[in-house]
Amino acid sequence: MTTYEPEPWRIKMVEPIRATTRAHRERAIRAAGWNPCLLRAEDVHIDLFTDSGTNAMSDRQWSALMRGDEAYAGARSFYVLEQAVREHYGYPHVVPVHQGRGGEAILSRCLLGPGTHVPGNMYFPTTRAHQELNGATFHDVIVDEAHDPVSEHPFKGDVDLDKLRALVEEVGADAIPCVSVAATVNMAGGQPISVGNLTAVCELAHAHGIPVFLDAARAVENAWFVKQREPGWGDKSVAEILHALCAPTDGAVVSAKKDGLANIGGWVGLRDADLADRVRAEALLYEGLHTYGGMAGRDMEAIAQGIAESVDEEHIRSRVAQVEYLGARLRNAGVPVVRPFGGHCVCVDAAATLPHIPRGQFPGQTLAAALYVVGGVRGVERGGVSAGRDPRTGDNRTPALELLRLAVPRRVYTRCHIDHVADSVIKVHQEREEITSGLVFSHEPPVLRFFQARFAPAGGESIFGRS
């Protein structure tokens, strides 16, 4: 039987969760417009919507909260955070922000403009939204294997260097203000990039005067996969590999709500002093003073402690093993899942699970709603709804991957909870023919629509054969 070693922590405090009836969940998902994002959290049994900000903090992090210096300017807690980032990520200039997308917005305003082009290893919705709102066009230069859910390529987050070269030749280096690289790649199912590839990307970009910025929210998980899969790195520590990943890049935007094991917060790390000054100036307008960036001092203390805990070998081994356990249970039961399994999530191939649901009726969104009804488990669609519309044509984008993402919070759920998730997904898969209708928009927001959109069944009152 698939299993994993006991978690390297024990439970000191509990939070009640409740199970509900299927009838209750059917009423709840209808009221939420068939969008699990709009459900009340109290109506969710196991919540795998995201691993962002949903982690369980350690006793040391809770203790760190009490050390928070809440001075408006120059708080001691900022320097504690700054030192943690410098030590573990290597960036000399650190600007705190309230969360990762705050950093994305600031960096985009500083670097991008109308007519510019940004290559990256697959899009993420908030990142691309900030790029497009500032007039840039995103170009996917990830390796082709990333778009193939059954490929076992060990580094599906790698950049295709030929694609990157071709883009530079096509639009010119002056039109590319930066390269945006994620480690790991969320929309591909948490797939890592190799140190060798990221180094080559930076060498190519720097030869043309183009800086490279890293989305390092899950770079610790990426470092773990490098340790396991990339030749020459097996004897290095996760902390050493994390440093090596960041070393060739010009900066990073980080949501501390992922690897950082915190519930809020983030930071921008930079090497260029002039750009750091510009980022601080933007932070003053939109986040707060450059020594708190929208966070309380206690938040910065908790993040600093979380950064230290994130590179602990036993912690990251256990974290990834729990995700692998869920993925293996689904794969062994015949559920089509993205392979290899990522560090923070398991992604079900919704297009393969529901081939009878047209892509225009959003199989990923439909499967997310069905899983909630059947098992009380909340995941999130990562496909046509998340991809949004092309800003030039207004047409729906149709990405190669149409997924249901199950993101596992860190240090939150036990094996019994994960087994319930697996049992629920397997049940939906076994009874997938009962899902007879997809979903269409009844309300479509213009930006990041998957958060607030509402849907209606395309074929009647319910997505299931019965009304």
Side-chain angles (χ1 to χ4, degrees):
M1 178 179 177
T2 301
T3 187
Y4 60 94
E5 294 180 3
E7 293 86 350
W9 41 263
R10 60 187 177 191
I11 296 169
K12 184 176 281 191
M13 182 172 65
V14 298
E15 175 186 358
I17 58 176
R18 65 168 183 157
T20 57
T21 65
R22 176 163 177 154
H24 177 92
R25 295 191 295 270
E26 288 184 347
R27 291 193 296 271
I29 197 67
R30 287 175 188 271
W34 298 91
N35 187 351
C37 185
L38 298 180
L39 291 165
R40 289 176 176 264
E42 64 188 19
D43 288 328
V44 177
H45 187 199
I46 307 296
D47 201 343
L48 305 188
F49 185 83
T50 184
D51 64 314
S52 178
T54 55
N55 308 297
M57 292 202 302
S58 70
D59 54 354
R60 289 167 177 78
Q61 284 181 288
W62 282 104
S63 175
L65 290 174
M66 302 305 295
R67 299 195 299 267
D69 178 1
E70 307 305 342
Y72 182 84
R76 178 187 53 79
S77 298
F78 164 72
Y79 297 102
V80 172
L81 172 63
E82 181 183 58
Q83 179 56 34
V85 172
R86 287 176 172 175
E87 177 182 350
H88 290 93
Y89 291 83
Y91 300 108
H93 303 284
V94 181
V95 183
V97 290
H98 78 283
Q99 63 181 67
R101 70 192 57 171
E104 290 176 341
I106 288 172
L107 201 58
S108 294
R109 283 194 294 268
C110 288
L111 296 175
L112 309 184
T116 57
H117 300 265
V118 181
N121 56 345
M122 200 174 287
Y123 78 98
F124 185 70
T126 61
T127 311
R128 186 168 66 185
H130 287 303
Q131 293 168 354
E132 292 177 348
L133 288 171
N134 283 276
T137 299
F138 171 79
H139 299 267
D140 188 0
V141 293
I142 202 166
V143 294
D144 291 340
E145 290 88 344
H147 300 285
D148 180 0
V150 302
S151 169
E152 294 285 357
H153 192 288
F155 290 102
K156 293 165 92 171
D158 280 358
V159 169
D160 185 319
L161 297 175
D162 289 336
K163 291 180 182 177
L164 180 56
R165 288 190 191 94
L167 180 66
V168 174
E169 292 176 2
E170 178 186 352
V171 303
D174 290 344
I176 302 177
C178 66
V179 178
S180 176
V181 180
T184 59
V185 179
N186 193 339
M187 301 300 284
Q191 303 297 326
I193 184 172
S194 65
V195 174
N197 181 258
L198 180 54
T199 301
V201 169
C202 292
E203 290 173 351
L204 172 58
H206 291 163
H208 294 278
I210 303 170
V212 178
F213 294 97
L214 190 64
D215 177 344
R218 298 182 180 90
V220 177
E221 292 172 6
N222 199 113
W224 175 259
F225 287 127
V226 167
K227 183 179 178 71
Q228 304 306 310
R229 302 175 186 173
E230 188 169 358
W233 292 95
D235 61 344
K236 302 295 184 181
S237 70
V238 168
E240 289 173 322
I241 298 170
L242 176 63
H243 232 280
L245 279 165
C246 297
T249 68
D250 298 273
V253 174
V254 174
S255 167
K257 298 163 66 177
K258 282 82 169 177
D259 281 344
L261 296 166
N263 302 130
I264 197 66
W267 48 269
V268 180
L270 298 164
R271 301 195 189 281
D272 182 81
D274 291 337
L275 178 58
D277 282 341
R278 293 165 59 195
V279 168
R280 292 186 188 102
E282 290 287 329
L284 289 170
L285 289 171
Y286 296 100
E287 295 289 308
L289 198 70
H290 63 280
T291 55
Y292 75 88
M295 286 188 287
R298 54 185 173 270
D299 297 323
M300 292 188 282
E301 294 277 358
I303 292 169
Q305 177 62 34
I307 289 172
E309 293 178 14
S310 72
V311 297
D312 177 81
E313 303 276 332
E314 293 305 311
H315 157 73
I316 191 62
R317 176 184 291 110
S318 174
R319 191 283 187 282
V320 175
Q322 189 178 52
V323 175
E324 290 178 343
Y325 173 77
L326 173 59
R329 278 216 56 200
L330 299 183
R331 179 193 59 203
N332 293 342
V335 178
V337 290
V338 172
R339 304 196 301 266
F341 306 130
H344 75 287
C345 68
V346 175
C347 288
V348 179
D349 186 342
T353 302
L354 302 176
H356 55 289
I357 301 297
R359 290 295 298 271
Q361 293 182 15
F362 307 119
Q365 189 72 29
T366 304
L367 190 60
L371 178 60
Y372 171 72
V373 171
V374 170
V377 178
R378 175 159 63 173
V380 66
E381 179 269 2
R382 283 292 179 249
V385 176
S386 296
R389 294 182 181 272
D390 187 309
R392 294 166 298 179
T393 67
D395 295 334
N396 277 315
R397 295 185 175 107
T398 304
L401 297 175
E402 179 73 15
L403 308 175
L404 165 62
R405 189 190 72 179
L406 304 171
V408 181
R410 297 158 187 82
R411 306 189 296 203
V412 171
Y413 291 119
T414 68
R415 190 177 303 174
C416 288
H417 292 118
I418 299 300
D419 279 331
H420 173 79
V421 173
D423 292 342
S424 299
V425 175
I426 293 167
K427 181 177 175 63
V428 171
H429 180 255
Q430 291 173 340
E431 300 174 356
R432 58 192 180 278
E433 294 301 327
E434 294 186 10
I435 303 171
T436 58
S437 172
L439 294 167
V440 294
F441 284 110
S442 60
H443 168 67
E444 181 184 357
V447 178
L448 297 178
R449 61 190 187 179
F450 66 92
F451 280 125
Q452 299 184 75
R454 301 181 74 86
F455 300 87
E461 296 182 0
S462 175
I463 62 174
F464 298 97
R466 55 186 177 81
S467 61

